[in-house]
Amino acid sequence: MEGMTILRGRVWKFGDNISTDHIIPGRYYHLRSNLPELAKHVMEDADPEFPKKVKPGDFIVAGKNFGMGSSREHAAIVIKLANVSAVIAKSFARIFFRNAINNGLPVIIADTDKIDDGDELEVDLEKGVIRNLTKNIEIKIQPLPKVMLDILKEGGIVEYIKKYSRLPVTE
Amino acid sequence: MATMAEKIFSWKLGRDVEPGEFVVAPVDISYFQDGTGPLGIRRFNEFSDKVADPRKVHFFIDHASPSPRKELSNDHRFIREFARRMGTYLHEYGEGISHQIMVEEFAKPGDIIVGADSHTCTLGALAAFATGVGSTDAAIAMSEGGLWFRIPESYRIEVSGELEKGVYSKDLILYIIGKLGADGATYKSAEFHGEAISKLSQEARFTISNMAIEMGAKVGLIPTDDETFRYLKSIRGDQEFLNVVPDEDASYEKTFYFDAKNIPPGVAAPHNVDNWKPIDEVAGTPINQVYIGTCTNGRIEDFRIAAQILKGRKKHRDVTLIIAPASKRVYIQAVTEGLIKIFIEAGGVVLPPGCGPCVGIHAGVPADNEVVLSTQNRNFKGRMGNPSAEIYLASPATAAASALKGVITDPREYL
């Protein structure tokens, strides 16, 4: 996250309950040990155009319960490999949320009703605000718990453990 | 004062915990399956070279089992080599689904368990704090013997009365998810209580906890009672197990009340698990495939219910009927009781123990626009390998009755 506290890009808008089967369908199960190939199918069952047309820096914006379903961490990984700068949703499913943080993919909880497909956004993670440049409005971000910010700052949990030789929470 | 989740963490940490608190807790068991294991091993190799306690780690080759593709055969070999080198448990082709083997042989009331599979919450029916995590978190637990957790707030789901004839725990949990919604319990510890739950057999309770994740819950806990201990001792012999029940004055963020006698057989219609419909509304819908099995409903009791309906009858000509036992133990018991013979004579295809077509890669991928009725836990678009297929979720009884008629059928016609 360092050096990328301001994110800028175009919006791909999705609805509620985007499942991990939408994000990376089970029929590509055999590609899970070949992440670059797997990533070619990111979000394919939610929008077949997405994997062909997504550009580095773009945002995935959705309604509630993004990432519901399976524990496959590959769902967070293929979004990260598509160089999506962040996923913004009204709420996230628990396992996906933690997987995203563990992989250094910013997941942002905010009211997404006033963000539409194709809008240009600027997200200031430090100030906790989304600027919708197309609509000229600001939307507040729900702050993340400190432990999750600490992991994101290092780019993921593996990087965190390698740097500090401990878990991000201590008893 | 304490809910079940709070009690388990307080015992493990030797101090009282509060919801919202971040803790590092010891993990009794961490486990992986063949879809999440290879990534878990690669992540582990990035930061560790030592498994904290190999006898607390399990690898299951249950999803693509046996392998339908060379890429997956290579993944399986990668898992086998790591498990043997580290001395962890390795559960091979034919042994069954991770969660089922866990409840039969390993999970204990009061344990903290993480599994790199979202349906790890199945084990909550034995009052184990068991939750699904990603490969990396499971790898951390494998290396460190512990993991960080946020203590969840608890929801109490109170079900009074008793289920009517022809209505099963699957119908009950589908109904509850329909009412609460796919994110109705996101992140919370869902505790199931009441007369209707205590009257369920242990096997039927696993179906309830298995689907807690389908309303977003972190765990789906059921307090221990005589039935819990009867089940455990029937498999594991005379051992002592912890009694895990909440304090009488435990505080819950929300309590939901249901009356079992008002709940009819039902289905989750495509493409979301919370899309509940009573059987009357969907009866007559033509189907192409029926699947009886999975970690939700692939146990011996489920097979007895299905066999009771299928016995001496033939499946409809236009329906493919697929059956997979959840474990080797279930399979052997079903053979011994003659249930497998009933399934085969009814025109069914019996698969080896494992996840089967629920994974979407083999052994029952639907054709374009086909309609499947399954006893599994998820009907998301693309779940069974074809995004144009439609999946209905139902009880084993509804599945068996529907297989006979070729359309979604109220099982009470056959009971």
Side-chain angles (χ1 to χ4, degrees), chain B residues 62 96-100 119 122 170 203 206-207 210-211 291-300 302-303 322-327 330 351-359 374-378 383-384 393-394 396:
Chain B
D62 57 2
I97 306 171
S98 62
H99 316 304
Q100 182 60 20
H119 293 109
T122 312
K170 181 63 162 288
E203 293 216 332
F206 290 130
T207 307
N210 174 266
M211 295 195 69
Y291 178 35
I292 301 172
T294 77
C295 54
T296 318
N297 279 120
R299 283 172 276 276
I300 194 67
D302 301 314
F303 280 14
I322 298 172
I323 295 135
S327 71
V330 171
L351 299 180
C355 305
C358 184
V359 188
S374 171
T375 65
Q376 69 201 47
N377 41 39
R378 287 198 174 128
R383 173 75 189 180
M384 297 181 84
L393 310 178

Side-chain angles (χ1 to χ4, degrees), chain B residues 307-328:
Chain B
Q308 188 194 337
I309 293 171
L310 294 171
K311 188 171 185 180
R313 299 189 171 103
K314 296 265 184 260
K315 68 154 183 89
H316 189 275
R317 186 193 65 186
D318 299 336
V319 171
T320 303
L321 171 61
I322 298 172
I323 295 135
S327 71
K328 185 165 81 178

